[in-house]
Amino acid sequence: MRSFHSYGPVNSKYHFCVERKTLVDRCASFLMGEEDEGGHYFTIWAPRQTGKTWLMREVKKRIEEEYKDRFVLGTMSMQGVIMDDAPVEDFLRHVPRLFRETFKLEPLKPEAWEGLTDIFSLDKGIFDRPVILFIDEFDSLPPKVIDRLVTLFRDMYLKRDSYLLHGLALIGVRAVLGVESERGSPFNIQRFLHVPNFTGKEVDDLFGQYVKESGQEIAPDVLAGVYDTTRGQPGLVGWFGELLTEKYNPGNNRVIDMATWEEVYDAACHIEWNNTILNLIKKAEGKYLSYLLELFSSSDIAFSIRFEWCNYLYLNGIIDEERIVDTKGKKTSICRFSSPFVQTCLYNAFTYDIVGDRMPILALDPLDELEDVFEEVQLNLPALLRRYKDYLIRLKAKGLNPWKEQPRRADMHLTEAVGHFHLYAWLQAAVGRRCIISPEFPTGNGRVDLHLRCGEKLGIVEVKSFVDASEAKAARVQAARYAKSLDVDAVTVALFVPVENEDVLQKISGNEKIDGVRVTVEAIGWA
């Protein structure tokens, strides 16, 4: 029987596979182009583990089957080209090997960059038929090498009657149209192909293949969970498929139900290794960390592919864009995380990076048994948050500043999300042995809800950052609406306010009933 596969290209003979016929047809038509004018030169881009290499292989197979010996097709990979700090011309020594591995033809090493075009020359090149070339991992090359190569490709495209390079696909994480070049982008043939995530229907089809071949049922809610959690990211969908049907499979004679899904999701967040997530975390912790942290506390950060930080995080699969209608009735694009699972993994990683794995002093007074927190039918979360405020006071009394050396914005104010991570870490230390504490992100950005389940008792803390009085009022209404949607009649808002004046904090704090839900605001000062 076939299996799920999450690393490297899938093979439909051995792995469950989404056909994606429309995408394959479109890519093939780009390469073939118009009969009189030849194929196109274009880029194929998407984040890692989304199926770029699989698409390349499927299109190559399609063209070979339909056009037989009319073209020479080659798939060249730049992954093995190691240049480090070598001069840009060092790339030329790799050329003979690249062509030998791709076409079983070995040209001489070009003496200069212009010699590369001679390889495809109609008069003196090494090919006897039109060539369709895929170059995988193209953006792993140094920017200056990319600049030289796409300049040459553009020149060949404009003089295509003299060359046999019929169609060209440059494959990578990012589109090469924005290549670093003092002359501007040299690859100005405006055509590219983005490999999208799976749709919900494609995810259902993928797992439907497993059900058909194994005979084991999967609850529809599980399929919805996989799609909603990953937003159809192919590598993550395949990985969750592996975990559900192999490592955490309850047994072929049992339905893979929501209990199994919840176990798998928790394991994926905390104990299972995934190279895609590790790669995303490494990139997220890089030079654009401060921008990314803002997404945990701001729900209206504008999205634009023109912003360098936004472009980088988007093309690496960390964030996505969402079209909304703003308060003025205008359609606009905002940033959101690429999926709830990615957001959860980043939240956990940043909590550890910012707070560490232990508190510098005890989270609670040694004699505090939290009777008032647990004695009622519902959790008394306002009382618990007052312990957190007391903890901050005790830290200050010992000369410890939890905000020291933490990420700050360009105006030197603390990045608001730092408080979110710190509160989450404190809750784990204070009640983590008695409660399950899980961050939830209902909107994909700008809103963090901490769900506490202590036995049969459930409580919700919505974590917000103070913007202004009007926004704070709107946050209470939003919190009430969210609690009502979960059939919960009480919610607590932990509102981080960039002041330490207790009188101000007292005035911002308070409680009221909104549409039948008791909403309590605990203002937490920090600076």
Side-chain angles (χ1 to χ4, degrees):
M1 192 183 84
R2 294 183 299 166
S3 62
F4 284 93
H5 184 69
S6 60
Y7 296 106
V10 296
N11 184 327
S12 59
K13 184 177 179 181
Y14 306 106
H15 311 128
F16 301 116
C17 178
V18 177
E19 188 178 36
R20 312 198 88 174
K21 184 177 182 299
T22 300
L23 185 63
V24 173
D25 288 345
R26 189 180 181 206
C27 185
S29 69
F30 277 10
L31 286 167
M32 297 307 304
E34 303 299 330
E35 188 172 344
D36 298 334
E37 298 183 7
H40 296 284
Y41 296 5
F42 64 101
T43 61
I44 299 174
W45 67 273
R48 298 187 185 283
Q49 297 296 322
T50 51
K52 299 183 298 296
T53 302
W54 170 85
L55 175 63
M56 174 184 71
R57 294 181 178 181
E58 288 298 304
V59 173
K60 180 175 181 288
K61 182 170 68 174
R62 168 80 62 81
I63 294 175
E64 286 175 336
E65 291 173 351
E66 291 188 9
Y67 294 92
K68 303 300 181 183
D69 298 325
R70 179 178 168 184
F71 299 99
V72 177
L73 284 92
T75 56
M76 183 181 292
S77 175
M78 295 298 170
Q79 191 169 25
V81 177
I82 309 298
M83 295 188 64
D84 294 328
D85 297 324
V88 66
E89 286 75 17
D90 187 64
F91 174 80
L92 297 177
R93 72 178 178 85
H94 295 276
V95 170
R97 175 182 60 82
L98 290 170
F99 277 82
R100 181 180 69 249
E101 293 174 349
T102 305
F103 296 106
K104 304 297 186 289
L105 297 170
E106 187 167 352
L108 296 174
K109 172 194 168 186
E111 295 300 321
W113 286 96
E114 292 78 6
L116 272 171
T117 63
D118 290 341
I119 296 173
F120 298 98
S121 170
L122 185 64
D123 298 325
K124 52 184 179 181
I126 64 174
F127 298 104
D128 59 359
R129 284 167 289 161
V131 177
I132 291 177
L133 176 61
F134 302 84
I135 304 182
D136 202 6
E137 301 287 345
F138 187 72
D139 57 357
S140 67
L141 294 171
K144 289 186 177 179
V145 174
I146 294 176
D147 181 20
R148 298 287 180 91
L149 289 175
V150 293
T151 299
L152 294 175
F153 289 140
R154 176 177 183 266
D155 186 60
M156 282 192 284
Y157 184 85
L158 297 176
K159 303 172 183 176
R160 58 192 315 156
D161 288 344
S162 301
Y163 297 97
L164 286 170
L165 188 56
H166 180 90
L168 172 68
L170 306 178
I171 304 165
V173 168
R174 58 188 173 89
V176 191
L177 299 177
V179 66
E180 296 177 21
S181 171
E182 295 178 0
R183 300 183 298 276
S185 175
F187 202 62
N188 63 357
I189 294 84
Q190 299 297 322
R191 189 179 292 268
F192 64 88
L193 183 67
H194 176 224
V195 181
N197 285 346
F198 291 151
T199 64
K201 184 177 180 181
E202 287 175 325
V203 171
D204 289 347
D205 174 60
L206 195 67
F207 280 86
Q209 295 172 37
Y210 171 80
V211 170
K212 184 177 180 180
E213 294 188 23
S214 69
Q216 183 179 22
E217 292 298 317
I218 301 178
D221 287 350
V222 173
L223 302 186
V226 172
Y227 177 72
D228 293 340
T229 294
T230 64
R231 290 212 175 100
Q233 205 276 356
L236 294 179
V237 170
W239 185 54
F240 276 110
E242 290 177 302
L243 296 177
L244 285 164
T245 63
E246 296 174 23
K247 189 169 184 178
Y248 293 88
N249 194 325
N252 291 335
N253 59 339
R254 297 178 58 187
V255 175
I256 297 177
D257 57 12
M258 286 301 292
T260 305
W261 165 247
E262 289 169 3
E263 180 186 10
V264 164
Y265 188 76
D266 183 73
C269 289
H270 298 108
I271 63 175
E272 294 290 346
W273 292 96
N274 180 275
N275 286 342
T276 298
I277 293 298
L278 292 175
N279 182 271
L280 291 185
I281 291 174
K282 188 70 175 176
K283 286 181 166 56
E285 292 171 333
K287 59 182 178 178
Y288 299 121
L289 174 61
S290 62
Y291 292 96
L292 191 58
L293 290 176
E294 291 280 346
L295 288 181
F296 283 101
S297 55
S298 300
S299 60
D300 58 353
I301 295 178
F303 177 92
S304 175
I305 205 71
R306 306 288 180 261
F307 301 157
E308 183 179 346
W309 69 269
C310 202
N311 181 293
Y312 178 86
L313 296 175
Y314 173 63
L315 295 178
N316 280 288
I318 298 170
I319 68 171
D320 203 345
E321 64 91 19
E322 181 178 10
R323 294 288 286 173
I324 65 165
V325 178
D326 64 17
T327 55
K328 298 177 182 178
K330 178 184 176 183
K331 285 188 176 180
T332 185
S333 292
I334 60 170
C335 297
R336 73 172 186 182
F337 288 92
S338 59
S339 74
F341 179 63
V342 167
Q343 187 174 7
T344 299
C345 291
L346 291 175
Y347 192 87
N348 291 334
F350 292 160
T351 298
Y352 178 82
D353 290 345
I354 290 172
V355 183
D357 59 354
R358 63 187 64 189
M359 293 288 166
I361 63 174
L362 290 175
L364 297 169
D365 184 283
L367 301 180
D368 190 351
E369 297 183 1
L370 300 174
E371 292 97 335
D372 57 336
V373 174
F374 293 101
E375 66 183 356
E376 301 294 336
V377 175
Q378 291 183 331
L379 293 173
N380 187 345
L381 295 182
L384 185 59
L385 288 183
R386 287 193 286 274
R387 263 54 166 222
Y388 174 65
K389 294 167 72 172
D390 176 66
Y391 172 78
L392 295 178
I393 293 171
R394 289 189 287 117
L395 278 179
K396 189 174 182 179
K398 289 183 173 292
L400 299 173
N401 182 0
W403 321 125
K404 185 180 180 181
E405 298 180 356
Q406 296 297 357
R408 292 178 181 266
R409 303 191 309 243
D411 60 6
M412 297 310 295
H413 286 293
L414 282 161
T415 299
E416 287 88 339
V418 170
H420 299 196
F421 300 127
H422 194 267
L423 172 59
Y424 174 56
W426 179 84
L427 287 170
Q428 292 282 11
V431 295
R433 291 178 179 83
R434 302 173 69 171
C435 306
I436 297 172
I437 307 155
S438 56
E440 301 288 337
F441 314 103
T443 61
N445 62 0
R447 178 171 153 195
V448 182
D449 296 332
L450 298 175
H451 288 211
L452 286 80
R453 183 176 293 279
C454 311
E456 297 299 316
K457 298 178 180 179
L458 172 68
I460 300 173
V461 177
E462 183 166 317
V463 187
K464 298 290 290 184
S465 296
F466 183 86
V467 178
D468 55 39
S470 175
E471 180 70 19
K473 183 176 181 180
R476 294 195 292 271
V477 174
Q478 181 187 59
R481 188 180 300 124
Y482 178 61
K484 198 172 183 67
S485 72
L486 297 178
D487 199 25
V488 175
D489 61 6
V491 62
T492 303
V493 178
L495 187 63
F496 280 88
V497 186
V499 299
E500 293 185 317
N501 187 308
E502 278 300 322
D503 289 338
V504 173
L505 296 176
Q506 284 291 335
K507 290 177 181 178
I508 295 174
S509 300
N511 67 80
E512 63 179 303
K513 217 163 193 180
I514 301 175
D515 196 17
V517 176
R518 174 63 62 184
V519 180
T520 303
V521 176
E522 285 293 334
I524 302 168
W526 70 325

